[in-house]
Amino acid sequence: MSSLSVILKPLSIPTFISDNPNIKTFIFQRNIPPPCKSHCHTERGHQFDVGDTFFRSESATARDLGVLSAALYRNTTGSLRVLDAMCGCGIRSLRYLAEAEADFVVANDANENTRDIILGNLSRVASGSEEGKRWEVNHLPATRLLAECYLRKDYFDLIDVDSFGSGSSYLRVALDAVKLGGLLYITSTDGLSSGGHRPQQSLAAYGAYVRPLPYSNEIGLRMLIGGAVREASVLGYHVVPLFSYYSYHGPVFRVLLQVKRGIMVLSAIATDVGTLEDFPGMNLVKRSIVVSGPLWTGPLHNAPHLTEMMSLADQWGWFGDEEGKNLEKLLKQMIDESDPKLPVGYLNADEIASRAKLNLPPLSVIMNSLHEGGYAVSRSHIAPNAIKTDCPMVECVKIVKHLQQAAEMSSCH
């Protein structure tokens, strides 16, 4: 009769080592991860180590926007408690502490192997006494941490959830754990759903059946806001976007919301493909109706809040270098995009030129003509070569042709 010998040790990977067919021995050896490598970066004057954590320098602008808003909140309310649910190397937490002067920050990352990196980066800010400590580091799944905060009635002024994928699974628990009147900074990187390529997925995640549209990246922001509005309404609240930011890397959709009492209604976008000429090459049946939604169809930003952000950034001296100039340009574009007269979507300059069958004048010239015609118009921070306007495409083409004719007559004289 064969025998079996097993030696057990915890947290291990089994290795078969016996040559005897009658004796199968497994030694379980502890799998110790290698130490994190050191990779130093600098952001807004803060030196930090990213180690082996997931880090993108391109996300610095999103961190800038979050820190400015957090500082404004603290200036208004007198206090700021932050929960950074997926902190990575801890740079966001560090900046909330050092720049927004947060009273307390929870830096959480589910990966325990990042602990030394996070502690090293946050040690640049005094941790405070046990009674008045300024930060702590946790390693829990974000949903569990947020749920535990809610059960303890430990509510936060700002919850930052920089998630990967749809991020919709974190909305309800984050809304539970944020203070009424507080801020919720949420994320999506689900470009396939916003592009209308996975309508069943967008319906399941955000309650919105999204079809392909020419301004899919704006839809990504509106889909994310709409999902938060839906979740908030279940709790008897509504959320208002203070800013909505799209970045090409990822893509990344980030929205800062303020939580308030009362329920808000969403809308759907209905497009008559037979009458509107804004959707070339979509291979849709003539006069069919394409419906996407329900989505957030209101302004993407709050202009007064953005104006205060610009003022604070200028006060901090952020607009001096090339990076600062890009931030200043972004904030100005967002303020222009805040016009409530502007509809969902934007018109691409290349498409206008194609329909007009001519080379376009500078977009600034077109925008001036649209303003003179009584239309609302702005540049889009999402698509550099596009404009947002309530002027229909057909009228926009007529205006462009008129500008061309005027230019030709002027050159003849």
Side-chain angles (χ1 to χ4, degrees):
M1 183 176 178
S2 62
S3 61
L4 179 68
S5 174
V6 180
I7 303 173
L8 298 177
K9 294 184 180 180
L11 296 175
S12 55
I13 296 176
T15 303
F16 177 69
I17 62 171
S18 175
D19 293 326
N20 187 332
N22 295 320
I23 301 177
K24 294 183 179 180
T25 304
F26 290 85
I27 295 180
F28 287 74
Q29 297 176 330
R30 186 177 180 85
N31 183 22
I32 302 175
C36 285
K37 298 177 182 178
S38 179
H39 300 286
C40 290
H41 289 253
T42 300
E43 186 171 297
R44 293 293 180 197
H46 303 286
Q47 190 174 50
F48 59 98
D49 188 359
V50 302
D52 292 328
T53 64
F54 181 79
F55 172 79
R56 277 182 168 165
S57 57
E58 298 93 337
S59 296
T61 299
R63 290 188 284 270
D64 285 344
L65 297 174
V67 167
L68 288 169
S69 295
L72 289 173
Y73 181 94
R74 191 184 189 286
N75 291 344
T76 301
T77 64
S79 65
L80 176 64
R81 299 179 75 249
V82 179
L83 193 158
D84 190 357
M86 300 176 182
C87 71
C89 68
I91 178 56
R92 275 191 313 275
S93 298
L94 173 61
R95 293 189 60 185
Y96 282 134
L97 287 163
E99 297 173 77
E101 298 181 349
D103 300 286
F104 178 65
V105 171
V106 173
N108 180 73
D109 196 277
N111 184 0
E112 295 183 1
N113 295 335
T114 63
R115 185 170 185 83
D116 289 342
I117 292 292
I118 299 169
L119 289 172
N121 290 331
L122 295 189
S123 66
R124 292 164 171 77
V125 177
S127 60
S129 62
E130 185 62 31
E131 296 78 14
K133 60 180 179 180
R134 292 197 61 198
W135 54 265
E136 70 178 36
V137 178
N138 289 331
H139 298 288
L140 294 173
T143 49
R144 176 181 168 183
L145 175 63
L146 291 164
E148 289 182 356
C149 290
Y150 166 69
L151 292 173
R152 294 195 307 265
K153 297 183 179 181
D154 184 15
Y155 304 114
F156 286 80
D157 299 294
L158 168 61
I159 294 179
D160 190 324
V161 185
D162 189 14
S163 57
F164 180 80
S166 75
S168 60
S169 61
Y170 306 104
L171 292 177
R172 179 72 66 86
V173 284
L175 284 162
D176 281 333
V178 71
K179 286 183 180 178
L180 194 60
L183 306 179
L184 192 58
Y185 199 11
I186 56 177
T187 313
S188 169
T189 61
D190 190 0
L192 288 175
S193 293
S194 64
H197 305 297
R198 298 194 301 185
Q200 297 295 340
Q201 171 66 21
S202 65
L203 183 64
Y206 299 103
Y209 194 86
V210 176
R211 302 291 299 277
L213 292 168
Y215 37 83
S216 62
N217 290 326
E218 181 174 321
I219 293 298
L221 292 171
R222 295 185 179 279
M223 180 180 70
L224 180 57
I225 299 170
V229 170
R230 184 186 66 161
E231 294 293 344
S233 67
V234 176
L235 303 173
Y237 306 141
H238 73 272
V239 292
V240 177
L242 298 183
F243 67 76
S244 308
Y245 172 62
Y246 163 78
S247 180
Y248 68 91
H249 72 281
V252 177
F253 307 93
R254 297 226 66 185
V255 178
L256 182 73
L257 304 166
Q258 187 166 31
V259 182
K260 299 186 177 184
R261 289 192 186 277
I263 298 175
M264 188 171 288
V265 179
L266 294 172
S267 301
I269 301 172
T271 301
D272 187 339
V273 180
T275 57
L276 286 184
E277 297 179 295
D278 299 344
F279 307 94
M282 290 182 61
N283 299 320
L284 296 172
V285 178
K286 189 175 182 180
R287 303 213 56 83
S288 65
I289 301 295
V290 177
V291 178
S292 286
L295 300 164
W296 173 260
T297 57
L300 291 172
H301 323 284
N302 179 280
H305 181 76
L306 289 168
T307 302
E308 290 183 15
M309 289 173 67
M310 275 198 68
S311 177
L312 182 59
D314 187 34
Q315 178 184 327
W316 284 354
W318 279 11
F319 295 155
D321 55 13
E322 191 63 31
E323 181 183 8
K325 291 177 182 177
N326 291 335
L327 179 63
E328 183 178 19
K329 178 182 176 182
L330 171 65
L331 290 170
K332 287 180 178 178
Q333 288 182 340
M334 286 179 165
I335 291 172
D336 292 341
E337 285 179 317
S338 303
D339 188 341
K341 296 178 183 178
L342 293 173
V344 174
Y346 46 75
L347 302 181
N348 190 283
D350 292 336
E351 183 58 31
I352 299 173
S354 175
R355 293 177 183 277
K357 294 181 173 59
L358 50 79
N359 294 325
L360 290 185
L363 284 181
S364 58
V365 175
I366 299 174
M367 291 173 65
N368 288 337
S369 294
L370 290 171
H371 275 303
E372 292 172 0
Y375 293 107
V377 61
S378 79
R379 297 294 292 266
S380 169
H381 90 273
I382 298 169
N385 197 34
I387 56 174
K388 291 181 64 66
T389 180
D390 57 352
C391 178
M393 173 66 88
V394 174
E395 288 299 316
C396 194
V397 170
K398 289 180 181 178
I399 290 172
V400 168
K401 288 182 175 179
H402 176 73
L403 288 172
Q404 180 71 12
Q405 291 169 359
E408 291 174 352
M409 290 178 63
S410 176
S411 62
C412 289
H413 296 297

